Amino acid sequence: MQTCCWCSTLSLYRPQYAGMSLPPAYLRQKLTQPLPIKRGPVLPTVGEAANYIIALLHERAEDCKRWRHAAELLLDQADVAAVSHQVHLALFYDAQLDIGAMKA
């Protein structure tokens, strides 16, 4: 299986890129809304989303375009709303977003 270019540069528990760690304060920020995953966890924070994205990229490197964009947003320390939106879209398109468990 081919490895994704992001998988080799990001570690699972401390997202890193080119030797630079993301600030803990950034990782603790809450997403615009918790994102429940079908048969999986709820992603309430940027850090939880980052862990999920990194694990997913390791498993599904061949089709990680949507997730790679989410990883790029994280690495750029983008606005939490932008990260939330991209993760929400990626989960939705992968049919992994548990819409029934989402709060209005």
Side-chain angles (χ1 to χ4, degrees):
M1 171 155 106
Q2 178 184 6
T3 59
C4 179
C5 60
W6 293 96
C7 297
S8 61
T9 58
L10 296 171
S11 68
L12 184 58
Y13 296 104
R14 292 199 73 200
Q16 296 181 349
Y17 180 68
M20 297 185 69
S21 295
L22 294 174
Y26 180 69
L27 296 173
R28 284 192 300 267
Q29 290 185 60
K30 293 185 184 282
L31 299 175
T32 55
Q33 69 180 86
L35 298 174
I37 300 170
K38 290 180 181 176
R39 296 175 303 281
V42 175
L43 306 177
T45 66
V46 172
E48 292 294 324
N51 286 340
Y52 182 80
I53 291 166
I54 293 163
L56 187 69
L57 291 176
H58 281 291
E59 294 171 13
R60 299 180 33 182
E62 68 279 356
D63 62 348
C64 66
K65 189 173 185 175
R66 286 185 288 271
W67 293 108
R68 185 171 26 203
H69 181 61
E72 290 171 353
L73 290 172
L74 286 167
L75 294 172
D76 291 340
Q77 296 179 40
D79 180 71
V80 174
V83 173
S84 297
H85 179 72
Q86 183 60 35
V87 173
H88 182 274
L89 283 177
L91 286 169
F92 178 78
Y93 281 115
D94 284 357
Q96 292 303 308
L97 184 65
D98 189 352
I99 296 172
M102 294 182 74
K103 294 181 181 177

